[in-house]
Amino acid sequence: DVDYLDVCAFSCRNLLFRARDYLEELLKKGCHIRILISKQGSAAAIDSYTKKSTGGSLKQRERVITQSYEDLLDWQDEYPEYFEGKTTEEFLPCAIMIVRRKNTIQSTIKVDYYSFNCPDDQRRCVLIPARDTENYNFYKDQFEWLWDKGEPVKNKDDETQ
C-alpha cells in the first residue's frame, strides 16, 4: 500500500543494490520512487566518504557513489514512469526515507543521522509517524528542498543532445 518512496542519502547503495527485490515489488505495484544521492566529486560527496563512511578503503568508498549513479540510471531506464533519480552538491547531515502510504496516517519518515566514522550499526536513527505532523512536515519539506535543488541523472548520450 505504498504510493511514494522518497529517499535522500549519501549513496543509497544498500537500497538500490541490496534491496532490489523490494524496490522492484514496489515499482510493479505502481509506487513512485524518487532517490537523491550526493553528486560524484562534489565537496559533499568527498566529505561523506572520507568522514561519514566506515569500512573499506577510501577508493572503495568513493566508488560507491559511481556505482549508485549507474544504478540510478538502470532503474530509470527500467521503470521510466515510476522512478526518478537526482544528484545534489548539498551536504546531507542525515539520510531521509519517506514512505507515503495510501492511508496517509500510516505514512512514516525514517531519519538516519550520519555520525563521523561511526559504524552503520551504531548510527542514530529516528522513525517519525505522520501523526507527529510538525516533525513529519519538517523532514518532508527538507527532502523537497533538496530534491528541487538536485540535478537529474542522465546517460552520457543524454548529455550530448
Side-chain angles (χ1 to χ4, degrees), residues 22-107:
Y22 176 70
L23 286 183
E24 284 182 339
E25 184 180 326
L26 288 175
L27 289 163
K28 288 175 183 173
K29 291 180 178 181
C31 177
H32 291 80
I33 298 176
R34 299 185 298 173
I35 295 185
L36 178 74
I37 64 171
S38 296
K39 184 175 183 174
Q40 186 176 1
S42 70
I46 294 167
D47 178 67
S48 293
Y49 71 73
T50 57
K51 298 177 184 168
K52 297 177 184 173
S53 297
T54 59
S57 69
L58 280 178
K59 195 161 203 66
Q60 287 172 316
R61 287 188 255 158
E62 181 182 13
R63 250 182 281 157
V64 167
I65 292 180
T66 302
Q67 293 165 342
S68 296
Y69 190 89
E70 291 167 2
D71 287 341
L72 287 177
L73 290 172
D74 290 345
W75 283 100
Q76 279 190 166
D77 287 346
E78 197 166 340
Y79 298 97
E81 65 279 3
Y82 295 115
F83 189 93
E84 278 185 88
K86 285 188 176 183
T87 62
T88 183
E89 293 188 23
E90 299 295 327
F91 285 84
L92 301 173
C94 59
I96 300 171
M97 177 186 286
I98 304 169
V99 179
R100 291 188 280 171
R101 299 181 180 272
K102 291 180 174 117
N103 179 354
T104 56
I105 197 68
Q106 294 177 337
S107 295

Side-chain angles (χ1 to χ4, degrees), residues 102-158:
K102 291 180 174 117
N103 179 354
T104 56
I105 197 68
Q106 294 177 337
S107 295
T108 57
I109 294 179
K110 178 183 176 187
V111 182
D112 194 353
Y113 291 93
Y114 296 123
S115 300
F116 293 102
N117 292 315
C118 179
D120 286 349
D121 62 348
Q122 295 177 16
R123 290 196 329 228
R124 295 169 291 142
C125 178
V126 178
L127 195 61
I128 302 167
R131 68 180 177 276
D132 181 355
T133 55
E134 187 175 339
N135 287 310
Y136 183 89
N137 288 333
F138 173 80
Y139 287 105
K140 184 173 70 62
D141 292 346
Q142 185 177 15
F143 174 86
E144 292 299 335
W145 183 84
L146 288 164
W147 182 259
D148 289 343
K149 294 179 78 67
E151 299 173 18
V153 294
K154 298 179 203 167
N155 283 309
K156 287 185 173 124
D157 298 339
D158 296 339

